[in-house]
Amino acid sequence: MDIASVDELLTTTRAVRKRLDLDRPVGREVILECIRLAMQAPTASNAQDWRWLVITDADKRAAIGDVYRRLGAQYLAHAAEEASDPQTRRVYASAFGLTDTLGRVPVHVIPCLTTRIDNSNLLTAASAWASIIPAGWSFMLALRSRGLGSVWTTMHLAKEREVAELLGIPATVTQAALFPVAYTVGTDFRPAARPPAETVTYWDTWEQPVGDS
């Protein structure tokens, strides 16, 4: 295994909003390839209860984009103005920009679970999310390796039932996220600025980070 290539994939798979190519078509087979890889992720109790809803219909994508815009435009614009950290400000500004373009992103992918996890206890909820989150991230890594990008969004979940009715999703199914998928404009993504691991890692007890000892 080429560790350098794997590390590059892991450190440069970014949340892509501004650099999504809205005009280049995305073929069905490349989406299916990425889903096949994502399905290799572990699932709680080997339930394999993830499902993937792929939306390419222009009217449905536009409707989802409208839901996202109604929910997020004002909040994200305000958050971008109020954020004191420059990196956080850029993230909110980028998310605000997506409110205008989401409906035109060529493919939307909604990862789902076949069971509802509303009002679940911590153990049940954690097990359910542990089935879909690794698969979702594997999907995004697979996109990156093929020159595509996405961002993990959850804004539409505030109107989950509205989107479910639009797409015919049963009430027994839980939507976990929305991935807008497109080829990226360029592939030169860089690692993000993060604090040293030593400052956020504890050993044996929750007292002080290992970097402070």
Side-chain angles (χ1 to χ4, degrees), residues 155-174:
M155 187 77 69
H156 86 284
L157 296 178
K159 295 289 185 181
E160 183 197 13
R161 292 317 309 159
E162 183 177 337
V163 174
E165 290 174 7
L166 171 69
L167 302 174
I169 301 174
T172 54
V173 169
T174 300

Side-chain angles (χ1 to χ4, degrees), residues 102-193:
L102 179 65
R104 295 189 288 127
V105 177
V107 179
H108 294 178
V109 177
I110 299 180
C112 301
L113 291 165
T114 57
T115 55
R116 295 297 303 179
I117 55 175
D118 296 334
N119 301 317
S120 299
N121 63 38
L122 180 60
L123 175 60
T124 301
S127 296
W129 293 120
S131 289
I132 196 64
I133 290 175
W137 186 238
S138 290
F139 177 76
M140 297 180 78
L141 293 170
L143 291 175
R144 164 68 173 150
S145 70
R146 288 160 174 76
L148 295 101
S150 187
V151 56
W152 193 300
T153 76
T154 55
M155 187 77 69
H156 86 284
L157 296 178
K159 295 289 185 181
E160 183 197 13
R161 292 317 309 159
E162 183 177 337
V163 174
E165 290 174 7
L166 171 69
L167 302 174
I169 301 174
T172 54
V173 169
T174 300
Q175 299 175 55
L178 168 63
F179 303 149
V181 177
Y183 283 97
T184 59
V185 178
T187 58
D188 54 331
F189 295 97
R190 296 175 295 176

Side-chain angles (χ1 to χ4, degrees), residues 17-182:
R17 303 178 185 91
K18 291 184 176 180
R19 292 174 58 182
L20 296 172
D21 190 333
L22 304 180
D23 299 314
R24 182 177 175 183
V26 177
R28 175 178 297 213
E29 187 54 39
V30 71
I31 297 296
L32 287 173
E33 284 179 4
C34 294
I35 291 175
R36 289 187 192 105
L37 291 167
M39 289 169 59
Q40 292 296 317
T43 63
S45 303
N46 194 35
Q48 301 184 35
D49 55 350
W50 15 242
R51 297 294 184 270
W52 309 83
L53 181 54
V54 181
I55 303 101
T56 58
D57 179 87
D59 290 339
K60 290 181 178 179
R61 286 184 287 116
I64 294 171
D66 182 62
V67 170
Y68 189 88
R69 182 169 50 254
R70 283 189 279 117
L71 287 168
Q74 183 175 358
Y75 161 72
L76 292 169
H78 178 73
E81 292 175 356
E82 294 297 315
S84 57
D85 174 66
Q87 181 174 329
T88 304
R89 193 180 306 120
R90 288 194 299 272
V91 169
Y92 278 124
S94 175
F96 175 69
L98 188 63
T99 63
D100 284 333
T101 59
L102 179 65
R104 295 189 288 127
V105 177
V107 179
H108 294 178
V109 177
I110 299 180
C112 301
L113 291 165
T114 57
T115 55
R116 295 297 303 179
I117 55 175
D118 296 334
N119 301 317
S120 299
N121 63 38
L122 180 60
L123 175 60
T124 301
S127 296
W129 293 120
S131 289
I132 196 64
I133 290 175
W137 186 238
S138 290
F139 177 76
M140 297 180 78
L141 293 170
L143 291 175
R144 164 68 173 150
S145 70
R146 288 160 174 76
L148 295 101
S150 187
V151 56
W152 193 300
T153 76
T154 55
M155 187 77 69
H156 86 284
L157 296 178
K159 295 289 185 181
E160 183 197 13
R161 292 317 309 159
E162 183 177 337
V163 174
E165 290 174 7
L166 171 69
L167 302 174
I169 301 174
T172 54
V173 169
T174 300
Q175 299 175 55
L178 168 63
F179 303 149
V181 177

